[in-house]
């Protein structure tokens, strides 16, 4: 029997954890994770209100963190 620990559902639950962090900060509850080789390499949640920055969306925060982690701007191996 093939058991995969890291499924889409698992990663969506990780993104939902980030959304809960945003909600706790009175932000719009959106979270994001970026996965590379079945490993979360970045996670983020909305910070637009806290940072007073219209670009501080969860996805943008996650992209920036992933690019920093990988040391480059291309995330072609990631989902």
């Amino acid at each position: 029997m093939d058991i995969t620990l890291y499924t889409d559902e698992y990663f969506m639950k990780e993104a939902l954890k980030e959304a809960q962090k945003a909600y706790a900060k009175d932000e719009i509850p959106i979270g994001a994770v970026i996965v590379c080789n079945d490993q979360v390499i970045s996670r983020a949640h909305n910070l637009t209100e806290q940072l007073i920055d219209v670009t501080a969306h969860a996805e943008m925060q996650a992209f920036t963190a992933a690019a920093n982690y990988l040391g480059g701007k291309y995330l072609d191996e990631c989902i």
Side-chain angles (χ1 to χ4, degrees):
M1 179 167 72
D2 184 24
I3 298 175
T4 303
L5 296 176
Y6 302 112
T7 63
D8 290 346
E9 184 177 349
Y10 170 81
F11 294 122
M12 284 302 297
K13 286 180 181 178
E14 292 300 302
L16 285 171
K17 289 178 188 176
E18 289 298 313
Q20 290 168 339
K21 291 177 186 177
Y23 182 78
K25 295 177 182 177
D26 291 327
E27 296 278 355
I28 295 175
I30 296 175
V33 296
I34 295 183
V35 178
C36 207
N37 299 320
D38 285 334
Q39 178 184 353
V40 174
I41 63 166
S42 71
R43 56 182 69 235
H45 53 275
N46 272 4
L47 292 170
T48 56
E49 300 299 324
Q50 187 174 17
L51 297 179
I52 311 169
D53 181 352
V54 298
T55 67
H57 290 268
E59 309 88 87
M60 299 307 294
Q61 301 290 328
F63 287 144
T64 299
N68 289 336
Y69 176 85
L70 294 174
K73 64 182 179 179
Y74 298 106
L75 306 177
D76 55 347
E77 301 281 328
C78 303
I79 57 173

